Amino acid sequence: MEEKGSKYSTVHYQNYLGLGKILDAQHLRSAALEEEPAHEEMLFIIVHQAYELWFKQIIHELSSVLILFRREKVDERNIGTAIRRLNRVVEIQKLLVDQIRIMETMTPLDFLDFRNYLFPASGFQSFQFRMIENLLGLEDEQRLTYNGCPYFSVFQEGQQKVLKETVKEDSLFEAMENWLERTPFIEFGNFDFLKSYREAVDRMLEKETAAIQSSAYLTAQEKEMRLKMLGNTNTYFQSVLNKDHHLKLQKEKKIRLSYEANIAALFINLYREEPILHLPFQLLTCFVEMDQGLTSWRQRHAQMVLRMLGNKVGTGGSSGFEYLHATSQKHHIYKDLHNVSTLLIPRSELPVLPPELKRALGYYYNHHLHTS
């Protein structure tokens, strides 16, 4: 019981954590409908409740980062805070994947003891998970339909309204894109990053082409295959070297990130070792890892469903494994950041930055300004 009249009133552990409500929230349907309850139903409920608690924490972290980035000018001092919070999301995602191993201590036959009592409840009805997808930036048109219906159709009117409102505002993807578009240094004095990058790519391709063609160990067919794999400035490098080509890919929905943001992401990845770019690179890495974590969870979840149900239809009426596996392939949000790796060139080929730009990207201490 709390003491009144004190700012720091005492509170009991159980009351602070609301354990009365939490520990009384496991209601086995098999216990109400059968003489002997299904033992494994308790595990099933607790694992899914734990998921929802972690989903709540993820929403808490993502929402706080969005507040930092939904501003016309992002305070760069908040980048470190955002990285710490997004790294926490990444760690939670790892835990969510690991929880599947606990679920798999239940056998398929154990699951059948209570599965019939779950209809039509389904993980597809997790409002918080859909909120996470929306906050991260999964687009409605990118989603696989749920039994031919919009993803939000399984929710009550109030929840549908909230989900629709979240997509009207900037997601983390859009906030990240806007932030990247404001990246300085792409053009600095006489330094033109894209011009220097094109020249570096040409040099790299010439060297690698010559090495393949002069190889005494490769057959003519192998040389042809490797040259095709190597590509040239008219293949995947076009997405940054040719703005019209990039816009064409955007129109075809093959690229989502804007041209300016794509160039900035490439610049940050190439010059990540410059002091001022350390944190921006870590931030982009967080987005890649969150996307990867979500994909890993979807894939692992799909494999668990295949193990438990085989080709049976899910309790919510979906195709079960097939649907979950398909979402892991299609529901990538930050694929463009992954694809930056396609555009990277060796450190030895990096265009040399002018001294004044190196100074701008470093931690410069002016001795004359700090002497008495």
Side-chain angles (χ1 to χ4, degrees), residues 69 74-83 86 176 179-180 182-185 264-288 337 361 363:
F69 277 81
V74 178
D75 187 340
E76 301 303 322
R77 291 172 296 184
N78 289 329
I79 301 296
T81 300
I83 290 169
L86 295 182
M176 174 269 297
W179 171 73
L180 279 172
R182 296 192 294 270
T183 300
F185 313 123
L266 175 61
F267 181 83
I268 290 168
N269 272 270
L270 286 173
Y271 295 101
R272 67 185 75 174
E273 292 169 4
E274 299 300 329
I276 282 182
L277 298 180
H278 286 177
L279 289 181
F281 174 69
Q282 289 180 44
L283 184 64
L284 293 184
T285 300
C286 285
F287 288 115
V288 170
L337 292 182
L361 291 171
Y363 298 131

Side-chain angles (χ1 to χ4, degrees), residues 30-234:
S30 60
L33 300 170
E34 297 285 349
E35 290 183 10
E36 186 175 340
H39 178 81
E40 302 298 322
E41 190 179 357
M42 178 68 79
L43 174 67
F44 186 85
I45 292 172
I46 287 177
V47 167
H48 284 83
Q49 287 177 338
Y51 273 133
E52 291 296 331
L53 285 172
W54 285 123
F55 290 164
K56 185 171 185 176
Q57 184 66 36
I58 290 174
I59 291 170
H60 180 65
E61 304 298 348
L62 296 182
S63 298
S64 72
V65 172
L66 265 171
I67 290 172
L68 300 178
F69 277 81
R70 276 180 180 159
R71 295 172 181 167
E72 189 172 336
K73 180 171 178 160
V74 178
D75 187 340
E76 301 303 322
R77 291 172 296 184
N78 289 329
I79 301 296
T81 300
I83 290 169
R84 288 193 297 275
R85 292 175 183 176
L86 295 182
N87 273 331
R88 180 178 294 160
V89 171
V90 172
E91 292 304 315
I92 292 172
Q93 289 176 315
K94 294 175 185 177
L95 184 60
L96 298 182
V97 174
D98 282 344
Q99 281 188 183
I100 292 175
R101 295 169 59 192
I102 301 173
M103 182 75 84
E104 287 179 338
T105 61
M106 174 172 56
T107 70
L109 206 56
D110 292 332
F111 184 43
L112 289 178
D113 286 342
F114 63 91
R115 181 176 183 255
N116 287 341
Y117 302 127
L118 303 181
F119 294 107
S122 166
F124 299 114
Q125 297 164 350
S126 172
F127 170 74
Q128 290 197 119
F129 185 71
R130 298 309 179 201
M131 278 288 292
I132 290 170
E133 290 179 324
N134 285 354
L135 290 172
L136 287 172
L138 183 63
E139 296 180 299
D140 286 356
E141 60 190 42
Q142 184 184 354
R143 290 179 180 274
L144 291 174
T145 57
Y146 176 77
N147 291 336
C149 302
Y151 78 99
F152 51 77
S153 62
V154 299
F155 300 105
Q156 297 176 353
E157 186 178 342
Q159 291 180 323
Q160 287 190 23
K161 183 178 179 182
V162 172
L163 289 171
K164 290 175 183 177
E165 287 297 320
T166 58
V167 298
K168 290 179 181 178
E169 298 181 333
D170 280 354
S171 66
L172 265 173
F173 180 94
E174 291 154 334
M176 174 269 297
E177 181 180 55
N178 293 336
W179 171 73
L180 279 172
E181 288 174 350
R182 296 192 294 270
T183 300
F185 313 123
I186 304 302
E187 291 186 6
F188 189 93
N190 294 324
F191 178 73
D192 184 332
F193 168 63
L194 273 185
K195 181 176 180 293
S196 301
Y197 174 74
R198 178 187 286 277
E199 293 169 353
V201 169
D202 285 335
R203 288 194 303 270
M204 178 194 73
L205 293 175
E206 285 174 10
K207 288 180 183 178
E208 295 192 17
T209 298
I212 292 170
Q213 290 176 336
S214 64
S215 173
Y217 302 99
L218 298 174
T219 66
Q221 185 178 5
E222 288 171 334
K223 288 180 181 180
E224 183 182 353
M225 180 187 69
R226 294 204 178 196
L227 287 172
K228 186 176 181 180
M229 290 171 60
L230 179 62
N232 55 51
T233 52
N234 292 321

